[in-house]
Amino acid sequence: MTGEAEQRRPGIPREERGATTVADRVVAKIASRVAREALSRFTESAGRVPPGRRTPHVTTSVRRAPERQTAGRDGESVAGRPAALGEARLRITVELGYPSDIGAQCAAVRREVTERLSTWSGMDVSDFVVSVGRLHSVHTRHTDQERVR
């Protein structure tokens, strides 16, 4: 049956038959999940953040890849790696425990989200901002105060 289907298809090369697109919300879900996993490895900081505030807020903008003029056989680029499906711009806002190594946590989020987004969706990350929306201190954990004086 496979042979019959191949015979009925027009003579269009495999890499030009269609395009895979990844929606903004899919990229946001992947980024949010990976960022949450990356932050959970910092147990001291994660323990200070209330459970309802551990999911990072992600804003994405996905741009489709330009036409694959340099793509070779089976969607591979000239460099030998798969041609990118598009380009993502991300902004992730996280809440962290304090005191903690804020720089290391933001770097872990940036590194892991970039790697896994590239692996899982085949997209390149062109612009990536990790911002800290709120720090949760040990001193304000059990009170309703907003500031420590």
Side-chain angles (χ1 to χ4, degrees), residues 27 30 34 81-86 88 90 111-125:
V27 173
I30 291 171
V34 172
R81 55 178 258 225
L85 295 177
L90 298 165
R111 180 183 58 251
E112 291 187 33
V113 169
T114 301
E115 288 174 3
R116 290 220 216 149
L117 194 58
S118 176
T119 301
W120 290 356
S121 69
M123 300 185 84
D124 290 329
V125 178

Side-chain angles (χ1 to χ4, degrees), residues 40-60:
S40 70
R41 292 188 190 98
F42 295 88
T43 55
E44 184 178 314
S45 175
R48 294 188 185 115
V49 180
R53 304 216 176 213
R54 291 187 183 151
T55 301
H57 177 71
V58 181
T59 305
T60 62

